[in-house]
Amino acid sequence: MNLQSYSDQDLVKLYLTGNESVLEELLNRHKSKIYTSIYLLVKDQYLAEDIFQDTFIKVINTLRSGRYNEEGKFLPWVMRIAHNLVIDYFRREKRAPVITSADGTDVLNMLQVYEESAEEKILREQTHTDLRTLIQLLPDEQKEVLIMRHYADLSFKEIADLTDVSINTALGRMRYALSNLRKMMKVKEVT
């Protein structure tokens, strides 16, 4: 049977009738996109692999329990599960992701190229720590959009799709996040 010609929905139906082999086709069809979206958010290969595995465990359990009802929307449904698991991870860890460049170095540590004094270095590191702390104080919806936009470099369309809101809502949440950060920085006198 040539499974590549089947739609996702057809493969799900086959899986629900007991054909376990079709799950491999679904996994192979979408693993790159799902894994990449997780990795872009967590910036850690091993953590991304763990969350990817947890995503498919949740998918399998939901399918087996008969609770899957996303008619024709398999990939967005799986992406939403993966996204929720990433958000759960950040909530559990209460940590701000490190902003990294394409070569994997911490961008916050590269901001100043010239030789800085010990005092300047301490001040810069404290400012970055303060900023990360302030980001953690934002409401979850605002923090989520800010992290996805600035740390994971996702477009507002991608953010809207992952969070299941309109683009305008994602833009509004970003605007409020930046406004709230500015207010908190004034109060805390962070420059």
Side-chain angles (χ1 to χ4, degrees):
M1 146 177 356
N2 182 10
L3 297 177
Q4 293 172 339
S5 62
Y6 284 77
S7 71
D8 289 349
Q9 197 58 34
D10 291 337
L11 292 174
V12 168
K13 286 177 185 171
L14 281 171
Y15 179 76
L16 293 175
T17 62
N19 187 341
E20 299 273 332
S21 65
V22 298
L23 190 60
E24 185 177 354
E25 173 62 26
L26 278 169
L27 179 66
N28 288 335
R29 190 176 285 185
H30 302 297
K31 68 182 176 185
S32 176
K33 185 171 184 116
I34 296 165
Y35 174 83
T36 301
S37 71
I38 295 168
Y39 179 78
L40 286 172
L41 291 170
V42 300
K43 301 283 192 188
D44 179 290
Q45 175 187 347
Y46 300 110
L47 177 60
E49 289 170 3
D50 287 347
I51 292 174
F52 177 80
Q53 288 176 359
D54 290 345
T55 299
F56 268 89
I57 289 170
K58 197 164 190 167
V59 165
I60 291 167
N61 289 338
T62 303
L63 289 173
R64 285 185 178 162
S65 70
R67 292 180 287 140
Y68 174 74
N69 61 0
E70 302 290 325
E71 201 67 32
K73 298 178 181 174
F74 180 77
L75 180 60
W77 173 67
V78 176
M79 294 289 280
R80 196 164 47 249
I81 290 171
H83 173 259
N84 289 340
L85 289 172
V86 168
I87 297 305
D88 289 347
Y89 168 78
F90 281 121
R91 284 183 182 147
R92 272 193 319 272
E93 295 299 313
K94 291 285 189 199
R95 70 180 185 110
V98 175
I99 307 170
T100 55
S101 64
D103 65 359
T105 57
D106 187 346
V107 171
L108 293 179
N109 290 334
M110 295 179 2
L111 288 178
Q112 298 190 9
V113 178
Y114 68 90
E115 192 65 34
E116 62 186 348
S117 70
E119 181 181 328
E120 288 172 324
K121 183 178 179 183
I122 290 169
L123 185 61
R124 178 180 49 80
E125 289 174 355
Q126 184 59 49
T127 300
H128 295 164
T129 301
D130 290 347
L131 182 59
R132 286 185 178 123
T133 301
L134 293 177
I135 289 170
Q136 291 304 315
L137 298 174
L138 291 171
D140 286 342
E141 295 86 10
Q142 294 172 22
K143 179 173 32 175
E144 176 180 58
V145 171
L146 183 88
I147 289 171
M148 284 194 253
R149 180 72 184 125
H150 287 287
Y151 294 137
D153 200 29
L154 297 178
S155 71
F156 283 106
K157 172 144 181 37
E158 292 169 317
I159 293 169
D161 290 344
L162 282 171
T163 57
D164 203 24
V165 298
S166 71
I167 292 177
N168 286 340
T169 299
L171 287 166
R173 288 177 178 174
M174 175 60 89
R175 187 178 69 242
Y176 286 123
L178 294 175
S179 174
N180 286 336
L181 274 178
R182 282 187 201 101
K183 289 175 189 171
M184 287 188 284
M185 289 169 78
K186 281 183 182 176
V187 170
K188 304 266 185 195
E189 296 181 357
V190 175
T191 56

